[in-house]
Amino acid sequence: MCEAWFSPSTAGVDSAGLGEVLQNVLARFPDVDKGRLVQNVFLTGAPSQFPGLADRLHATLRPILPPEMGLQIARAEDPVLDAWRGMADFAKTDEFARVGVTKAEYEE
């Protein structure tokens, strides 16, 4: 497990850890919205395969939530490629054509 994600100071980085960042983000939402968010925590990307990441994240989030608020953490079926596949599918839709930008627009 990459403990530096939760305690960056252990790696000599003066930055907030993952738990502190999540706490700050969740604090911006009323409990009803916060409850919906924490029922749908989704881990993806190659680092989401670190052993114990979901358990560590659960142990970090649980104490900052009201006791009656549920918490569900799921991991992508294929954490390495699922995000890419999802975006590739989205890129084929009409909606993507409306929200996407060209390289020239991005560089502008």
Side-chain angles (χ1 to χ4, degrees):
M1 163 51 83
C2 188
E3 187 59 27
W5 285 12
F6 293 90
S7 301
S9 62
T10 61
V13 177
D14 184 23
S15 181
L18 187 55
E20 187 177 347
V21 169
L22 290 171
Q23 184 173 10
N24 289 336
V25 169
L26 291 172
R28 296 173 183 243
F29 292 92
D31 278 354
V32 66
D33 294 332
K34 186 185 311 182
R36 287 197 326 260
L37 289 169
V38 298
Q39 282 292 324
N40 295 291
V41 178
F42 187 71
L43 302 175
T44 191
S48 71
Q49 298 177 98
F50 286 145
L53 177 63
D55 291 338
R56 179 67 164 85
L57 189 56
H58 189 278
T60 299
L61 288 173
R62 184 72 267 162
I64 65 172
L65 300 173
E68 68 280 358
M69 189 175 286
L71 172 59
Q72 293 292 322
I73 300 173
R75 191 177 83 193
E77 189 174 318
D78 182 352
V80 176
L81 295 176
D82 276 359
W84 183 91
R85 286 183 182 122
M87 191 61 198
D89 287 345
F90 178 61
K92 299 173 191 172
T93 67
D94 292 338
E95 184 178 357
F96 178 78
R98 289 190 301 272
V99 299
V101 296
T102 66
K103 183 178 180 194
E105 290 171 322
Y106 174 79
E107 289 175 346
E108 185 181 297

